[in-house]
Amino acid sequence: MRSNCLPFRADSAAATAEFVRPQRYALRASHSIARCSGLIAAVMLAGCMSAPPSIDAPTTRASTAAIDLPLADPSAGVDMSLPAQRPESLPSNSALARDFMELSFSLESGRAIPQFSRFEGPITVSLGAGAPASAPRELARLVSRLRGEAGVPISVGASAQNHIQIDFVPRKQMSREVPNAACFVVPNVSGWDDYRAARRTARGDWTQVKQRVSATVFIPAEATPQEVRDCLHEETSQALGPLNDLYRLPNSVWNDDNFHTVLTRYDMIQLRATYAAELHSGMSAPEVQAKLPAVFARLNPAGGAVRGLRDDPTPRAYVSAVNRAIGPGNTGARRAAAMSAINLAAAQGWNDTRAAFGWFALGRLSVQNDPETALNAFAKAGNIYRATPGAGIQSAHVDMQLAAFALSAGRAQDAIALVNRAMTPALSGENAALMATLYFIRAEAYDTLGNPAQAQQARVDSAQWARYGFGSDAAVRARAAEVAALARAGRG
């Protein structure tokens, strides 16, 4: 299930020599930041991104260049191709096997799944009525990746069994039934009415599934093109394979921090293992575990032998604290929950994405009322993410937050350096909304430095990302206006 509260999904040059380390920057910028923290809050995006966030709208409009930028057609998709680069590294086979067991034999709620399940034989997937214009292209691309990278025998079409249906339902209807889910997948149902009838019965209970024969993915009908794609990736992959989400995974869509928005190399090898010839539906956990050393030795020869599965559980207390922190409710209570998550991570001795995400949540929740704490929290989160293999997209989100602070404090060159550092992981993570916002920040920073030609180029560059990420001209222009307001605060 994809959570309804998401991190912001918004040139590859290296950071320049003028880049200021976050720890020092937090001390140097706090006074100028304090007077405009309300404006910073608008672009720091502490709210949910399933719809345009609630913001304090600036009283003046964005620059004419921002408003008149050529908005791309979101149904056409965007070119997120990267120059040839080294493939994403994989964990050891011991770690892959440990993760496989926890992903496959537990639900997000903590309930145990008593047996392994998957589809047996060829699988079809199809879009229901009312699918957005971008959905067919996204589904075709996803299916191609699943076949080529994960070896899953899946194709677009319809069949009597082994079928995944993608249905689009009004957001209000979905929110009434599952208020915290942006999108989700249910076994053994066909359509929204059937889901409602099967809810809280054994038919719709993943723990009762011994072999998968059908599933339906539910996505909001009003979803932006990027949200459609993100939901297709996570929910279709969970219809096929792992049903759990783990906060410790730095390089996977199966993590409720929602930083990764498309299936990664890590995800594909776990799906390839799910459909390995050595496994079949109905196997017990010990039976699957006994087969995994041979499975991963074949799929990932460089990963070494599986030498026992070292447990690394995430206590439910941490999960509950994080869910409170990123969920709805009183900001003070949510900040307290974020601190609880931070303290629990420290008590466990973690220095991984779980520790970083607590700091990231605290930063987002502190922007309006305590910008010094926000800067410190983002700096700590960034330090951990940058030291964690596979956490490039998380680092990019932190750098976007810090770049917004820098812009609002009149430190345009620092903002550009942070944007430059974030660009490559944002592009690699195929995050169009993040890319668009980085370009907006870059444009306003160049305007501040008196470089109108480079500012205009950044605005033009933002166009192919903006509509895909935000979904409408109004949302794009609102985001551009928010960033422009930050820049005006910095110039004042």
Side-chain angles (χ1 to χ4, degrees), residues 1 21-22 25 41 57 62 92-93 108 125 152 161 186 245 286 322 345 351 366 376 398 403 444 446 452:
M1 179 180 73
R21 293 183 62 85
Y25 177 74
S92 69
N93 284 341
E108 294 176 53
V125 57
V152 176
Q161 62 177 5
V186 184
D245 279 353
V322 168
N351 196 39
S366 301
N376 181 58
V398 172
E444 296 297 338
Y446 276 128

Side-chain angles (χ1 to χ4, degrees), residues 132-207:
S134 64
R137 181 181 185 276
E138 296 294 358
L139 181 61
R141 180 170 179 253
L142 172 60
V143 166
S144 177
R145 286 195 62 198
L146 288 168
R147 293 176 66 89
E149 297 176 43
V152 176
I154 187 171
S155 59
V156 175
S159 56
Q161 62 177 5
N162 287 0
H163 181 63
I164 301 169
Q165 177 79 11
I166 314 295
D167 277 355
F168 295 85
V169 179
R171 196 183 301 274
K172 285 185 178 180
Q173 288 187 31
M174 290 181 60
S175 296
R176 281 197 295 266
E177 298 292 334
V178 189
N180 294 324
C183 43
F184 57 96
V185 60
V186 184
N188 304 320
V189 302
S190 56
W192 185 251
D193 290 340
D194 193 31
Y195 157 68
R196 294 189 68 202
R199 195 178 180 198
R200 301 187 179 91
T201 69
R203 181 160 64 95
D205 184 351
W206 280 110
T207 69

Side-chain angles (χ1 to χ4, degrees), residues 321-343:
V322 168
N323 288 345
R324 288 196 304 273
I326 65 176
N330 175 271
T331 300
R334 293 169 64 197
R335 283 184 51 156
M339 282 304 309
S340 178
I342 290 167
N343 292 334

Side-chain angles (χ1 to χ4, degrees), residues 263-389:
L263 290 164
T264 65
R265 185 184 179 206
Y266 170 93
D267 298 330
M268 291 298 187
I269 200 168
Q270 293 288 13
L271 285 169
R272 190 173 282 276
T274 299
Y275 285 85
E278 294 90 337
L279 306 183
H280 59 80
S281 294
M283 295 176 74
S284 68
E287 289 172 332
V288 170
Q289 185 169 321
K291 297 290 187 180
L292 292 183
V295 170
F296 283 111
R298 177 167 52 80
L299 298 181
N300 185 36
V306 175
R307 303 185 185 281
L309 304 188
R310 181 180 63 84
D311 287 339
D312 188 11
T314 301
R316 295 304 303 175
Y318 172 88
V319 175
S320 297
V322 168
N323 288 345
R324 288 196 304 273
I326 65 176
N330 175 271
T331 300
R334 293 169 64 197
R335 283 184 51 156
M339 282 304 309
S340 178
I342 290 167
N343 292 334
L344 286 165
Q348 295 289 327
W350 296 332
N351 196 39
D352 59 13
T353 54
R354 291 168 292 191
F357 192 54
W359 287 113
F360 183 83
L362 179 64
R364 294 200 314 175
L365 291 165
S366 301
V367 169
Q368 272 192 304
N369 298 321
D370 191 351
E372 187 78 25
T373 292
L375 278 169
N376 181 58
F378 287 134
K380 288 184 177 180
N383 288 340
I384 298 170
Y385 283 137
R386 282 190 293 276
T388 303

Side-chain angles (χ1 to χ4, degrees), residues 17 22 28 39 48 51 105 113 145 238 287 306 360 376 419 465:
R28 294 168 65 180
L39 289 173
C48 298
F105 286 95
I113 300 173
R145 286 195 62 198
Q238 293 198 302
E287 289 172 332
V306 175
F360 183 83
N376 181 58
V419 165
W465 313 102

Side-chain angles (χ1 to χ4, degrees), residues 389-460:
I393 189 64
Q394 292 92 326
S395 300
H397 277 280
V398 172
D399 283 343
M400 184 274 287
Q401 305 276 5
L402 293 172
F405 268 110
L407 186 65
S408 71
R411 304 188 63 85
Q413 195 64 57
D414 290 341
I416 290 170
L418 287 158
V419 165
N420 287 346
R421 187 168 69 173
M423 280 289 185
T424 295
L427 181 59
S428 181
E430 301 188 27
N431 195 316
L434 179 57
M435 286 291 294
T437 298
L438 291 170
Y439 275 119
F440 289 157
I441 293 172
R442 175 184 277 180
E444 296 297 338
Y446 276 128
D447 266 344
T448 297
L449 293 172
N451 294 325
Q454 289 175 289
Q456 175 61 13
Q457 184 60 54
R459 291 187 176 101
V460 171

